[in-house]
Amino acid sequence: MTVYFTGEEKVGAIVTEFPGASNLFKEVRIDFCCGGDISLREAAARKKLDEPVLLQRLNDSYERAKLRAEPGKTDWKKASISQLIDHIVQRHHKYLQAELPLLSEFVTKVFRVHGVHQPELAQVHKRFHEMKLELDQHLIQEEELLFPLLLAYGEDPTADRRYRAVLRIRELEADHQGVGDILKELRELTRDYTLPQGACKTYTLTYHKLAELESDLFEHIHLENNILFARLAPAQAS
């Protein structure tokens, strides 16, 4: 086996280099968005995973991906700031704007109908709606305040434009960490979205949609934290 990754690389950097690693990391519950700033070795130790087995799976997967490389597939590391922002808005922001109101109805209905027998649903309802409020505000701040700064910097990368964008990024990165923490808590509360015996269709659909939301948010936050925002990392604003 050719060794591409040794375990010393940061989790977020691995997914930036090899987006397909996100599937493996989702499977083994390694956070590659908000928790992407630690090494794979440390992440594996925290999850009590067999590191050699994990590395072999990762390197084998990367080798297979290289052999079947898809021509024309976008390499977001090489995309312009404007291309990245357009993709994030069109793919991830629009998804959230459509799904969050629907999920709010589902989560509320499931809590109302099944909360008496499934007490964890009260906390699921509470934490989901805290996350929804956070995301609703976050998307507006990104689209109205941060992204225009990043686009301006992309067109004319002056030190002043970078400085102002970095300050705004710092204000919003805490939101990403907060959302990541709630996603982890929702997964714990639902025991990895395990349905109770005889769960109805709405219950089943709600858990499916929550797991889908988690997956999309991981990809979304990864693109921002590890690729888009990293473009400005050399700048030090104080």
Side-chain angles (χ1 to χ4, degrees):
M1 177 189 74
T2 303
V3 176
Y4 301 98
F5 304 104
T6 65
E8 296 297 330
E9 302 86 358
K10 291 185 176 180
V11 172
I14 292 172
V15 178
T16 299
E17 174 66 25
F18 173 38
S22 63
N23 296 322
L24 173 60
F25 291 163
K26 288 174 192 173
E27 177 189 332
V28 297
R29 306 286 180 249
I30 287 178
D31 179 359
F32 58 86
C33 56
C34 302
D37 201 36
I38 62 173
S39 71
L40 181 59
R41 175 159 293 126
E42 182 178 349
R46 289 183 183 183
K47 291 290 185 181
K48 297 181 172 56
L49 300 172
D50 187 322
E51 184 187 333
V53 171
L54 180 64
L55 281 171
Q56 181 167 351
R57 291 186 65 191
L58 176 63
N59 283 298
D60 284 349
S61 180
Y62 186 58
E63 179 71 27
R64 289 194 298 271
K66 287 183 66 177
L67 291 174
R68 64 172 189 272
E70 301 174 37
K73 187 173 182 179
T74 303
D75 182 349
W76 294 115
K77 291 186 301 176
K78 298 177 181 177
S80 68
I81 287 176
S82 63
Q83 286 175 314
L84 266 168
I85 288 175
D86 184 65
H87 173 73
I88 288 167
V89 170
Q90 297 300 321
R91 169 65 182 86
H92 297 291
H93 283 204
K94 287 191 174 180
Y95 166 81
L96 288 173
Q97 288 158 354
E99 286 296 308
L100 287 174
L102 289 174
L103 255 172
S104 174
E105 293 180 16
F106 287 139
V107 168
T108 299
K109 182 176 181 180
V110 168
F111 172 43
R112 186 185 300 278
V113 175
H114 300 280
V116 173
H117 302 293
Q118 305 292 145
E120 73 277 3
L121 290 175
Q123 195 67 5
V124 170
H125 180 270
K126 178 176 183 291
R127 296 298 278 153
F128 168 80
H129 283 94
E130 289 173 350
M131 180 174 68
K132 180 181 181 299
L133 177 61
E134 187 81 35
L135 285 168
D136 285 341
Q137 295 178 350
H138 184 82
L139 297 187
I140 293 171
Q141 289 178 308
E142 282 195 336
E143 292 183 14
E144 300 301 324
L145 299 175
L146 175 60
F147 288 170
L149 289 173
L150 292 175
L151 290 169
Y153 173 76
E155 293 174 359
D156 184 14
T158 65
D160 179 66
R161 286 180 172 182
R162 173 178 287 195
Y163 176 84
R164 288 188 288 124
V166 168
L167 288 180
R168 185 64 66 182
I169 285 170
R170 287 181 177 178
E171 292 174 6
L172 294 178
E173 278 183 325
D175 294 349
H176 287 174
Q177 185 61 55
V179 167
D181 290 343
I182 292 176
L183 288 173
K184 291 174 187 174
E185 187 175 348
L186 288 173
R187 187 164 279 282
E188 290 170 2
L189 286 166
T190 60
R191 298 175 298 282
D192 291 332
Y193 295 111
T194 301
L195 290 161
Q197 189 76 22
C200 67
K201 289 182 179 179
T202 302
Y203 207 141
T204 302
L205 181 60
T206 300
Y207 273 22
H208 173 78
K209 280 185 166 291
L210 283 170
E212 186 181 72
L213 176 73
E214 176 193 73
S215 180
D216 187 83
L217 279 167
F218 275 8
E219 297 288 349
H220 178 178
I221 295 173
H222 163 69
L223 280 174
E224 292 188 348
N225 281 5
N226 301 322
I227 299 181
L228 179 59
F229 297 169
R231 300 280 177 89
L232 286 80
Q236 295 297 322
S238 59

